[in-house]
Amino acid sequence: MKKRIVLSFVFILLIISSVAIYKHVLEKDRYSSVSIVPENRNDLPLYDGLEFQENHYLVKGNHWNNIYEFYKDTLPNHGWKLVFKQASIEDSGGFMLRFQKKDKELHIGGGWNPYANETETTFDLNPVLHKTMWIDQKPRSICVYLNKNAVNCNKITDQNKIEQFIKMVDEDAVNKDDAPLQKEFGIVDVNGEKIEIHYDPLLPSFTLKKADERKQMKPEALLELLGLTHLQER
């Protein structure tokens, strides 16, 4: 009799455990398409009425402005710093918010779909991308060396090209201390400082190096601008 009771108890425990594991797997699969789940965090309250649907949240009716005001006013109380906000009544109305907390950046966007009479809201969490200014003063010209051993350089004086170069280096490229270096590279002389251009055709991005600092960005536009497309052929 006791043996039956024990076996029954074990069997019930197995059923409870199996159900719990099954629910956990379903929950994990349900949210596999998103980078953050408000329901699972204490610092990201969910606006009343929003329900998760595939990869976004929906609420019936036109609530985009209320949702915008809710997160704009509420999240700073949970440690999030508001770094960007935009709201517009055009195209049925919508908004974008961006917050930072420690090394993370949270994007919240939403808008009203008048045809379905629903307000859609998305949440996206990513690492903060740090960018530093390398070029303090716009040069009158920059000098491009095709490789590290080149003695002569190709001088660029076109101000439009120089402005494009500065934007790519200071605004588009992202700081990355472990960005890979190559044996062969081009060099750009800017105001007497050397910026190395390291590129491997097998990698999706390339490395900029100045002294001990490194940045990373997509290659095509900058290589073409500087006449360094030969690096893509190695």
Side-chain angles (χ1 to χ4, degrees), residues 30-47:
R30 185 186 183 206
Y31 293 108
S32 62
S33 61
V34 295
S35 57
I36 186 170
V37 182
E39 299 94 313
N40 295 342
R41 296 183 66 106
N42 296 323
D43 60 352
L44 182 53
L46 189 63
Y47 179 83

PDB file of all heavy atoms in Angstrom, residues 30-47:
ATOM      1  N   ARG A  30       7.548  31.426 -27.578  1.00  0.00           N
ATOM      2  CA  ARG A  30       6.619  32.523 -27.871  1.00  0.00           C
ATOM      3  C   ARG A  30       7.350  33.853 -28.030  1.00  0.00           C
ATOM      4  O   ARG A  30       7.013  34.669 -28.875  1.00  0.00           O
ATOM      5  CB  ARG A  30       5.581  32.621 -26.754  1.00  0.00           C
ATOM      6  CG  ARG A  30       4.491  33.660 -27.023  1.00  0.00           C
ATOM      7  CD  ARG A  30       3.587  33.831 -25.834  1.00  0.00           C
ATOM      8  NE  ARG A  30       2.519  34.775 -26.123  1.00  0.00           N
ATOM      9  CZ  ARG A  30       1.883  35.490 -25.217  1.00  0.00           C
ATOM     10  NH1 ARG A  30       2.211  35.356 -23.950  1.00  0.00           N
ATOM     11  NH2 ARG A  30       0.926  36.325 -25.555  1.00  0.00           N
ATOM     12  N   TYR A  31       8.351  34.071 -27.196  1.00  0.00           N
ATOM     13  CA  TYR A  31       9.070  35.339 -27.210  1.00  0.00           C
ATOM     14  C   TYR A  31      10.418  35.263 -27.933  1.00  0.00           C
ATOM     15  O   TYR A  31      11.247  36.157 -27.788  1.00  0.00           O
ATOM     16  CB  TYR A  31       9.307  35.815 -25.769  1.00  0.00           C
ATOM     17  CG  TYR A  31       8.037  36.189 -25.033  1.00  0.00           C
ATOM     18  CD1 TYR A  31       7.549  35.376 -24.015  1.00  0.00           C
ATOM     19  CD2 TYR A  31       7.330  37.341 -25.351  1.00  0.00           C
ATOM     20  CE1 TYR A  31       6.380  35.705 -23.327  1.00  0.00           C
ATOM     21  CE2 TYR A  31       6.171  37.684 -24.679  1.00  0.00           C
ATOM     22  CZ  TYR A  31       5.701  36.867 -23.677  1.00  0.00           C
ATOM     23  OH  TYR A  31       4.555  37.206 -23.007  1.00  0.00           O
ATOM     24  N   SER A  32      10.636  34.199 -28.702  1.00  0.00           N
ATOM     25  CA  SER A  32      11.940  34.008 -29.354  1.00  0.00           C
ATOM     26  C   SER A  32      12.242  35.073 -30.406  1.00  0.00           C
ATOM     27  O   SER A  32      13.394  35.282 -30.771  1.00  0.00           O
ATOM     28  CB  SER A  32      12.005  32.616 -29.990  1.00  0.00           C
ATOM     29  OG  SER A  32      11.001  32.488 -30.996  1.00  0.00           O
ATOM     30  N   SER A  33      11.220  35.772 -30.895  1.00  0.00           N
ATOM     31  CA  SER A  33      11.418  36.754 -31.959  1.00  0.00           C
ATOM     32  C   SER A  33      11.699  38.162 -31.435  1.00  0.00           C
ATOM     33  O   SER A  33      11.901  39.085 -32.219  1.00  0.00           O
ATOM     34  CB  SER A  33      10.182  36.800 -32.868  1.00  0.00           C
ATOM     35  OG  SER A  33       9.032  37.190 -32.131  1.00  0.00           O
ATOM     36  N   VAL A  34      11.703  38.345 -30.117  1.00  0.00           N
ATOM     37  CA  VAL A  34      11.922  39.681 -29.563  1.00  0.00           C
ATOM     38  C   VAL A  34      13.153  39.685 -28.650  1.00  0.00           C
ATOM     39  O   VAL A  34      13.548  38.656 -28.109  1.00  0.00           O
ATOM     40  CB  VAL A  34      10.688  40.180 -28.778  1.00  0.00           C
ATOM     41  CG1 VAL A  34       9.509  40.360 -29.714  1.00  0.00           C
ATOM     42  CG2 VAL A  34      10.326  39.221 -27.648  1.00  0.00           C
ATOM     43  N   SER A  35      13.741  40.876 -28.485  1.00  0.00           N
ATOM     44  CA  SER A  35      14.968  41.000 -27.698  1.00  0.00           C
ATOM     45  C   SER A  35      14.711  41.347 -26.239  1.00  0.00           C
ATOM     46  O   SER A  35      15.618  41.273 -25.413  1.00  0.00           O
ATOM     47  CB  SER A  35      15.873  42.073 -28.317  1.00  0.00           C
ATOM     48  OG  SER A  35      15.185  43.315 -28.394  1.00  0.00           O
ATOM     49  N   ILE A  36      13.476  41.745 -25.917  1.00  0.00           N
ATOM     50  CA  ILE A  36      13.141  42.076 -24.534  1.00  0.00           C
ATOM     51  C   ILE A  36      11.652  41.814 -24.310  1.00  0.00           C
ATOM     52  O   ILE A  36      10.832  42.031 -25.205  1.00  0.00           O
ATOM     53  CB  ILE A  36      13.490  43.551 -24.216  1.00  0.00           C
ATOM     54  CG1 ILE A  36      13.280  43.841 -22.730  1.00  0.00           C
ATOM     55  CG2 ILE A  36      12.703  44.516 -25.089  1.00  0.00           C
ATOM     56  CD1 ILE A  36      13.825  45.191 -22.289  1.00  0.00           C
ATOM     57  N   VAL A  37      11.330  41.335 -23.102  1.00  0.00           N
ATOM     58  CA  VAL A  37       9.947  41.008 -22.747  1.00  0.00           C
ATOM     59  C   VAL A  37       9.559  41.835 -21.525  1.00  0.00           C
ATOM     60  O   VAL A  37      10.022  41.564 -20.408  1.00  0.00           O
ATOM     61  CB  VAL A  37       9.791  39.505 -22.433  1.00  0.00           C
ATOM     62  CG1 VAL A  37       8.335  39.183 -22.113  1.00  0.00           C
ATOM     63  CG2 VAL A  37      10.272  38.660 -23.612  1.00  0.00           C
ATOM     64  N   PRO A  38       8.724  42.857 -21.702  1.00  0.00           N
ATOM     65  CA  PRO A  38       8.340  43.705 -20.567  1.00  0.00           C
ATOM     66  C   PRO A  38       7.755  42.924 -19.395  1.00  0.00           C
ATOM     67  O   PRO A  38       8.015  43.262 -18.228  1.00  0.00           O
ATOM     68  CB  PRO A  38       7.295  44.650 -21.184  1.00  0.00           C
ATOM     69  CG  PRO A  38       7.660  44.726 -22.629  1.00  0.00           C
ATOM     70  CD  PRO A  38       8.167  43.352 -22.968  1.00  0.00           C
ATOM     71  N   GLU A  39       6.976  41.883 -19.695  1.00  0.00           N
ATOM     72  CA  GLU A  39       6.345  41.100 -18.626  1.00  0.00           C
ATOM     73  C   GLU A  39       7.365  40.422 -17.712  1.00  0.00           C
ATOM     74  O   GLU A  39       7.041  40.059 -16.578  1.00  0.00           O
ATOM     75  CB  GLU A  39       5.421  40.021 -19.215  1.00  0.00           C
ATOM     76  CG  GLU A  39       4.272  40.562 -20.047  1.00  0.00           C
ATOM     77  CD  GLU A  39       4.589  40.625 -21.520  1.00  0.00           C
ATOM     78  OE1 GLU A  39       5.684  41.121 -21.864  1.00  0.00           O
ATOM     79  OE2 GLU A  39       3.748  40.196 -22.321  1.00  0.00           O
ATOM     80  N   ASN A  40       8.585  40.238 -18.199  1.00  0.00           N
ATOM     81  CA  ASN A  40       9.612  39.544 -17.425  1.00  0.00           C
ATOM     82  C   ASN A  40      10.588  40.494 -16.733  1.00  0.00           C
ATOM     83  O   ASN A  40      11.606  40.054 -16.202  1.00  0.00           O
ATOM     84  CB  ASN A  40      10.396  38.586 -18.323  1.00  0.00           C
ATOM     85  CG  ASN A  40       9.532  37.455 -18.847  1.00  0.00           C
ATOM     86  OD1 ASN A  40       8.463  37.178 -18.302  1.00  0.00           O
ATOM     87  ND2 ASN A  40       9.987  36.798 -19.902  1.00  0.00           N
ATOM     88  N   ARG A  41      10.289  41.800 -16.755  1.00  0.00           N
ATOM     89  CA  ARG A  41      11.203  42.775 -16.159  1.00  0.00           C
ATOM     90  C   ARG A  41      10.469  43.661 -15.154  1.00  0.00           C
ATOM     91  O   ARG A  41       9.296  43.979 -15.321  1.00  0.00           O
ATOM     92  CB  ARG A  41      11.842  43.653 -17.246  1.00  0.00           C
ATOM     93  CG  ARG A  41      12.720  42.878 -18.220  1.00  0.00           C
ATOM     94  CD  ARG A  41      13.343  43.830 -19.200  1.00  0.00           C
ATOM     95  NE  ARG A  41      14.279  44.736 -18.564  1.00  0.00           N
ATOM     96  CZ  ARG A  41      15.606  44.650 -18.674  1.00  0.00           C
ATOM     97  NH1 ARG A  41      16.143  43.671 -19.390  1.00  0.00           N
ATOM     98  NH2 ARG A  41      16.386  45.531 -18.088  1.00  0.00           N
ATOM     99  N   ASN A  42      11.243  44.071 -14.141  1.00  0.00           N
ATOM    100  CA  ASN A  42      10.685  44.967 -13.132  1.00  0.00           C
ATOM    101  C   ASN A  42      10.846  46.432 -13.510  1.00  0.00           C
ATOM    102  O   ASN A  42      10.188  47.302 -12.909  1.00  0.00           O
ATOM    103  CB  ASN A  42      11.364  44.726 -11.776  1.00  0.00           C
ATOM    104  CG  ASN A  42      11.091  43.335 -11.228  1.00  0.00           C
ATOM    105  OD1 ASN A  42       9.991  42.816 -11.393  1.00  0.00           O
ATOM    106  ND2 ASN A  42      12.084  42.731 -10.599  1.00  0.00           N
ATOM    107  N   ASP A  43      11.732  46.721 -14.475  1.00  0.00           N
ATOM    108  CA  ASP A  43      12.009  48.112 -14.834  1.00  0.00           C
ATOM    109  C   ASP A  43      11.346  48.532 -16.145  1.00  0.00           C
ATOM    110  O   ASP A  43      11.663  49.585 -16.691  1.00  0.00           O
ATOM    111  CB  ASP A  43      13.520  48.343 -14.927  1.00  0.00           C
ATOM    112  CG  ASP A  43      14.186  47.456 -15.974  1.00  0.00           C
ATOM    113  OD1 ASP A  43      13.509  46.558 -16.518  1.00  0.00           O
ATOM    114  OD2 ASP A  43      15.379  47.669 -16.258  1.00  0.00           O
ATOM    115  N   LEU A  44      10.441  47.700 -16.656  1.00  0.00           N
ATOM    116  CA  LEU A  44       9.765  48.031 -17.905  1.00  0.00           C
ATOM    117  C   LEU A  44       8.288  47.654 -17.809  1.00  0.00           C
ATOM    118  O   LEU A  44       7.866  46.594 -18.271  1.00  0.00           O
ATOM    119  CB  LEU A  44      10.426  47.303 -19.084  1.00  0.00           C
ATOM    120  CG  LEU A  44       9.861  47.581 -20.486  1.00  0.00           C
ATOM    121  CD1 LEU A  44       9.824  49.070 -20.773  1.00  0.00           C
ATOM    122  CD2 LEU A  44      10.685  46.852 -21.537  1.00  0.00           C
ATOM    123  N   PRO A  45       7.481  48.526 -17.197  1.00  0.00           N
ATOM    124  CA  PRO A  45       6.053  48.222 -17.052  1.00  0.00           C
ATOM    125  C   PRO A  45       5.361  48.157 -18.403  1.00  0.00           C
ATOM    126  O   PRO A  45       5.750  48.861 -19.344  1.00  0.00           O
ATOM    127  CB  PRO A  45       5.529  49.393 -16.213  1.00  0.00           C
ATOM    128  CG  PRO A  45       6.489  50.509 -16.456  1.00  0.00           C
ATOM    129  CD  PRO A  45       7.827  49.854 -16.640  1.00  0.00           C
ATOM    130  N   LEU A  46       4.368  47.304 -18.498  1.00  0.00           N
ATOM    131  CA  LEU A  46       3.615  47.149 -19.742  1.00  0.00           C
ATOM    132  C   LEU A  46       2.360  48.024 -19.688  1.00  0.00           C
ATOM    133  O   LEU A  46       1.581  47.954 -18.731  1.00  0.00           O
ATOM    134  CB  LEU A  46       3.231  45.693 -19.955  1.00  0.00           C
ATOM    135  CG  LEU A  46       2.617  45.338 -21.323  1.00  0.00           C
ATOM    136  CD1 LEU A  46       3.620  45.589 -22.438  1.00  0.00           C
ATOM    137  CD2 LEU A  46       2.172  43.882 -21.335  1.00  0.00           C
ATOM    138  N   TYR A  47       2.191  48.842 -20.701  1.00  0.00           N
ATOM    139  CA  TYR A  47       1.015  49.718 -20.769  1.00  0.00           C
ATOM    140  C   TYR A  47      -0.258  48.876 -20.699  1.00  0.00           C
ATOM    141  O   TYR A  47      -0.370  47.839 -21.375  1.00  0.00           O
ATOM    142  CB  TYR A  47       1.050  50.528 -22.062  1.00  0.00           C
ATOM    143  CG  TYR A  47      -0.124  51.462 -22.255  1.00  0.00           C
ATOM    144  CD1 TYR A  47      -0.143  52.719 -21.664  1.00  0.00           C
ATOM    145  CD2 TYR A  47      -1.220  51.074 -23.031  1.00  0.00           C
ATOM    146  CE1 TYR A  47      -1.224  53.574 -21.835  1.00  0.00           C
ATOM    147  CE2 TYR A  47      -2.299  51.918 -23.208  1.00  0.00           C
ATOM    148  CZ  TYR A  47      -2.297  53.164 -22.606  1.00  0.00           C
ATOM    149  OH  TYR A  47      -3.367  54.004 -22.778  1.00  0.00           O
TER     150      TYR A  47
END
